[in-house]
Amino acid sequence: MTETYPNTKLHIGGKWVDAVGGETIDVINPATGEPIGAVAHARTHDLDLALEAAKSGFEVWKKTSPFSRYKMMRNVASLLKERVKEIAPVLTQEQGKPLQQSKSEISLAVDIIDWFAEEGRRAYGRVIPARTEGVYQLVTKEPVGPVAGFTPWNFPINQGVRKISSALAAGCSIILKGAEETPASTAALVKCFADAGIPDGVVNLVYGTPAEISEYLISNPIIKKATFTGSTAVGKQLASIAGAHMKKVTMELGGHAPAIVCEDANLDVALNVLVENKYRNAGQVCVSPTRFLIHENLYDEFVDRFTDMSKKIKIGNGLDPETQMGPLAHDRRVEAIEGFVSDAVSKGAKIRTGGNRIGNEGYFFEPTVLTDVPLDARMMNEEPFGPVAPMTPFSDFDSAIEEANRLDYGLASYAYTSSAETAEKLGSQIESGMVSINHHGIALIETPFGGVKDSGYGSEGGQEGIEGYMNTKFITHKTVL
Ligand code: NAD
């Protein structure tokens, strides 16, 4: 199971370059715990170069017609499609997810570029009927300017491509800071943009010390918008820097998705969909089902079957075709999940399966099912971001809704019922940006993707996705002869 793994350079002004100071950061394979390569570490001098590049890239790109942008972005999508098999092992080696999930992530990215390429052509303004003859009232959309984007390590391609594609479709340039843990797959994505002829300076890629880069870029006058995917705590810091400089912001932050299984749910469907999505990417997904709220009449059967299915998940190196769940992405996650589990157990939770790190090579953790987890356990309040499933019974619908809405998070939520009336109540009463009932139907690029409350604001999908990258301008024109 050996594959080659490339070192990663910065991409600034159309060139792949080392950091001016020559610094690098090691990249670790989470399946082995061993270093596999390095990524260039940008400091302020490199960031200044990236800012100048993004500024001149914007001047060129904003004048490129939406139709030409569309043509070029479609070429990017075609290149990425050709490279799926080449990039997937790189993604798996640095991030850990099974190869099939890496391939799906890259294929989804192809669709995302295509979607935004098309949306750019449809970023319509409007004409508002005037009160006076001879007056024309136009609403136009303009690109906001150079964007600073910050993406995490759980979906290094998918998170990056949403930000790059929506920025480019709107006519913006971007400096993306990818995740230092998973740099090469994001770089492979950016290479498709470069190789497809997107002009120099339009897409720039940097790595380094996250807080140093975000503070420097967001507060720089060249940058007109910040977009971040990651934890709520960091999102609040970045939003406050952006607020101090009056910059536009999109924040795709943490979640703590409730999964409500009502008394009349189809249990087979609920179990199959929820187990698969709980352990996808080892639970390191912002929309992962997290608080399992099960009607008391189904509770024992649901927990028994969920536990059996969890025990059967095949864990291993993501390059092994048999693997269904890979390691956690880095050592901090193992410590974090151990902490969540021991905290819950110390407060009375019972472990039905799992609960432990696996072996001492790499960052593997067992699929873990817990019952009797009290509401004051940390995992019931903070985003666990790992393969843990706390189960809680409920007796009436209102108490399930109350628990679903208890936290300040509001990203995704899931529910299972065979009643149309209950489905309607779930859809309207759950406080979250996305509600998926009887299937896992979110994160399709043609649909909005984003949260409410502490899960952030703005959208990374659907027609709303491009909105955050455009300013609205009102022009009123009176004809005077
Ligand atoms: P972390 O909070 O240090 O990092 C999370 C991500 O945010 C990383 O990619 C990191 O590079 C970036 N980041 C951190 N501080 C930053 C800053 N000041 N400026 C710009 N980027 C910054 O911790 P971690 O251990 O890597 O992950 C912990 C938590 O982050 C998880 O429990 C989860 O809640 C959250 N997270 C969320 C997502 C998501 O998709 N929403 C993805 C990854 C991590």
Side-chain angles (χ1 to χ4, degrees):
M1 276 189 296
T2 47
E3 290 273 355
T4 54
Y5 181 85
N7 289 331
T8 302
K9 296 188 181 217
L10 311 175
H11 187 64
I12 297 176
K15 297 195 171 57
W16 293 95
V17 293
D18 292 321
V20 171
E23 284 179 85
T24 58
I25 307 166
D26 281 347
V27 181
I28 308 292
N29 180 341
T32 62
E34 298 293 327
I36 46 173
V39 52
H41 187 309
R43 297 286 181 189
T44 50
H45 188 71
D46 307 282
L47 299 180
D48 286 337
L49 296 173
L51 285 160
E52 282 309 318
K55 187 178 170 188
S56 43
F58 177 58
E59 290 307 315
V60 174
W61 195 240
K62 75 175 179 191
K63 292 182 196 135
T64 305
S65 74
F67 186 71
S68 299
R69 289 183 210 142
Y70 151 82
K71 288 272 189 196
M72 280 189 247
M73 288 178 71
R74 292 297 298 261
N75 290 341
V76 178
S78 302
L79 265 188
L80 185 61
K81 194 171 183 179
E82 282 168 21
R83 296 179 187 176
V84 173
K85 281 194 182 152
E86 180 191 321
I87 300 172
V90 172
L91 172 51
T92 289
Q93 283 178 92
E94 62 187 12
Q95 203 277 339
K97 66 184 61 172
L99 200 55
Q100 195 48 46
Q101 289 182 27
S102 293
K103 287 183 187 159
S104 304
E105 179 173 342
I106 304 164
S107 300
L108 182 65
V110 173
D111 293 345
I112 291 172
I113 300 168
D114 269 344
W115 163 265
F116 278 113
E118 294 279 359
E119 281 300 280
R121 298 206 285 166
R122 300 191 185 112
Y124 304 128
R126 64 189 197 278
V127 179
I128 299 174
R131 296 183 179 194
T132 316
E133 197 180 350
V135 170
Y136 295 91
Q137 304 185 125
L138 305 179
V139 179
T140 62
K141 300 284 177 179
E142 295 182 342
V144 65
V147 174
F150 305 90
T151 50
W153 40 259
N154 58 342
F155 292 96
I157 298 247
N158 194 332
Q159 313 274 27
V161 79
R162 282 180 185 261
K163 290 176 171 39
I164 298 173
S165 306
S166 45
L168 266 58
C172 301
S173 60
I174 185 165
I175 304 174
L176 184 75
K177 190 201 80 62
E180 291 68 29
E181 294 87 352
T182 54
S185 53
T186 314
L189 168 72
V190 168
K191 193 163 185 311
C192 293
F193 283 86
D195 292 353
I198 300 289
D200 294 351
V202 175
V203 182
N204 306 280
L205 178 67
V206 297
Y207 295 94
T209 304
E212 205 175 283
I213 297 185
S214 53
E215 177 144 20
Y216 195 76
L217 292 184
I218 297 172
S219 53
N220 189 287
I222 290 175
I223 295 298
K224 303 298 184 216
K225 180 198 165 80
T227 169
F228 171 73
T229 300
S231 64
T232 294
V234 173
K236 285 182 176 178
Q237 286 169 25
L238 302 197
S240 65
I241 300 172
H245 296 272
M246 204 48 76
K247 306 276 168 86
K248 252 183 154 59
V249 178
T250 298
M251 286 285 153
E252 204 276 273
L253 307 180
H256 207 292
I260 301 175
V261 181
C262 298
E263 189 177 12
D264 58 1
N266 179 321
L267 214 49
D268 293 336
V269 171
L271 280 160
N272 286 332
V273 179
L274 288 173
V275 169
E276 183 185 341
N277 283 289
K278 175 70 259 180
Y279 300 117
R280 184 166 74 98
N281 202 8
Q284 304 164 117
V285 184
C286 51
V287 296
S288 183
T290 298
R291 276 168 298 148
F292 291 81
L293 310 174
I294 316 298
H295 191 274
E296 59 188 6
N297 292 348
L298 304 176
Y299 182 75
D300 289 340
E301 184 183 353
F302 184 91
V303 175
D304 286 348
R305 289 175 64 185
F306 196 103
T307 303
D308 286 345
M309 291 166 85
S310 302
K311 286 179 182 166
K312 290 188 182 126
I313 304 264
K314 186 145 180 5
I315 299 155
N317 188 319
L319 292 177
D320 180 343
E322 301 283 298
T323 294
Q324 292 172 306
M325 188 178 101
L328 300 181
H330 49 67
D331 52 355
R332 302 192 302 280
R333 292 314 311 149
V334 177
E335 282 168 31
I337 301 300
E338 282 175 337
F340 279 116
V341 172
S342 62
D343 166 77
V345 169
S346 75
K347 289 171 178 154
K350 296 189 179 64
I351 295 179
R352 288 293 301 263
T353 187
N356 296 300
R357 180 182 189 151
I358 304 171
N360 49 16
E361 186 190 281
Y363 310 132
F364 294 94
F365 203 92
E366 294 172 317
T368 299
V369 180
L370 301 106
T371 59
D372 304 280
V373 187
L375 282 190
D376 66 346
R378 280 182 44 226
M379 73 167 67
M380 296 298 278
N381 298 282
E382 299 166 36
E383 186 177 31
F385 222 64
V388 292
M391 303 282 165
T392 307
F394 70 86
S395 53
D396 67 282
F397 180 81
D398 290 346
S399 65
I401 293 287
E402 192 180 321
E403 169 54 19
N405 292 340
R406 177 178 57 90
L407 299 182
D408 289 331
Y409 291 109
L411 188 58
S413 50
Y414 306 97
Y416 289 82
T417 176
S418 52
S419 151
E421 189 188 345
T422 309
E424 188 280 319
K425 283 204 271 181
L426 286 157
S428 62
Q429 292 183 25
I430 297 180
E431 296 166 1
S432 67
M434 297 170 279
V435 182
S436 186
I437 301 171
N438 291 334
H439 74 147
H440 193 92
I442 60 178
L444 304 169
I445 190 55
E446 58 271 30
T447 61
F449 188 93
V452 295
K453 304 201 284 189
D454 270 6
S455 293
Y457 34 72
S459 184
E460 294 226 298
Q463 66 184 55
E464 291 82 357
I466 196 171
E467 277 293 322
Y469 293 81
M470 295 188 301
N471 288 331
T472 299
K473 182 183 267 180
F474 172 58
I475 303 168
T476 179
H477 170 206
K478 185 169 185 188
T479 307
V480 180
L481 298 174

